[in-house]
Amino acid sequence: MSEALQRVATEWFEVRAGRIRVVKGHPAHSRLNELRKVFQGQACPAITAFWITRDKRIHFKPNFPAGLRQQVREIVIP
């Protein structure tokens, strides 16, 4: 799965126990700070992820919390 994502994703973020890690891409520091605030204190699965494709669509792993998806969309794709 990661090889396919490497080909199609322009930015790829992984969330482990509430901490965000950039796997691919170079997001702005301000965007990362906003994302950290969203995940701080939220109940998340042990490991989840989301990525952005070339056509500016955001995709979430199936175990990504549904309540956080809209907040992440607003930050990542203005």
Side-chain angles (χ1 to χ4, degrees), residues 14-76:
E14 185 177 79
V15 181
R16 289 180 178 234
R19 293 183 180 209
I20 191 161
R21 183 178 82 113
V22 178
V23 179
K24 183 177 180 182
H26 302 284
H29 187 66
S30 59
R31 184 189 301 174
L32 275 177
N33 283 341
E34 289 181 44
L35 286 171
R36 283 186 183 114
K37 289 178 187 175
V38 169
F39 292 109
Q40 192 174 41
Q42 295 291 331
C44 287
I47 301 173
T48 190
F50 61 96
W51 57 94
I52 304 164
T53 56
R54 290 184 197 111
D55 56 355
K56 297 295 182 195
R57 291 185 183 183
I58 187 166
H59 302 272
F60 298 96
K61 235 179 136 175
N63 68 344
F64 196 89
L68 296 177
R69 291 181 182 201
Q70 187 59 36
Q71 292 176 357
V72 170
R73 278 189 189 103
E74 291 172 358
I75 293 170
V76 175

